[in-house]
Amino acid sequence: MHEYTSTARVWGLTCPGFPEEVSRARRWTRDILRGSPLAEDAELIVSELSANAILHTASGEACGSFHLALAVSPQVVALSVTDAGGTSTAPKAGHPDRDAVHGRGLGMVSALAHRVVVHETLGGHTVTAELFTGGAVGGRS
């Protein structure tokens, strides 16, 4: 393989920080991964990460936004959501009380994904969830 080529395909989408954009992020993910056995898990992960960005960071404030990246290779599907910051704490899986309304999303993402990594960015955080394919992944051309 040539040093400047890769078998990975990468897509990106920036969404305004409105709650209805979570469904747009899900559709976008579903369309890219159509035919993949990982599509449903990926869609759920994107939904949770996008909702977290809107609910818990400046992404959900006036003029806020979040960015989605989706990378697909024969080995892995990597889903990343970058928020707009506004909080000093990094996202982490919590252990909420049974009656708590929030706090389960990142734990669910961690249960679905093979690996979850949180990176600090200039303005906020990027959460990347990786799903190992175990073979080829379907996707649009």
Side-chain angles (χ1 to χ4, degrees):
M1 176 166 40
H2 189 274
E3 68 179 300
Y4 296 113
T5 61
S6 171
T7 57
R9 301 207 47 202
V10 180
W11 292 262
L13 177 69
T14 299
C15 298
F18 304 125
E20 57 269 21
E21 292 297 309
V22 174
S23 63
R24 177 179 172 211
R26 278 195 311 265
R27 275 192 318 275
W28 180 79
T29 302
R30 182 176 54 241
D31 287 347
I32 291 170
L33 294 175
R34 183 165 281 127
S36 167
L38 300 175
E40 286 184 18
D41 286 349
E43 189 178 342
L44 184 55
I45 288 169
V46 163
S47 181
E48 287 298 324
L49 296 181
S50 300
N52 283 351
I54 292 170
L55 288 171
H56 303 296
T57 74
S59 293
E61 295 177 2
C63 298
S65 65
F66 62 95
H67 183 77
L68 237 61
L70 174 57
V72 178
S73 77
Q75 298 81 26
V76 68
V77 171
L79 308 136
S80 298
V81 174
T82 302
D83 63 46
T87 180
S88 60
T89 58
K92 64 180 185 245
H95 302 285
D97 292 335
R98 190 174 60 180
D99 298 330
V101 177
H102 297 288
R104 293 176 185 82
L106 200 51
M108 184 173 60
V109 168
S110 296
L112 289 171
H114 293 98
R115 183 167 70 162
V116 176
V117 180
V118 178
H119 292 282
E120 193 168 330
T121 63
L122 291 175
H125 295 90
T126 297
V127 180
T128 301
E130 296 176 348
L131 299 167
F132 301 143
T133 64
V137 174
R140 291 188 311 173
S141 302

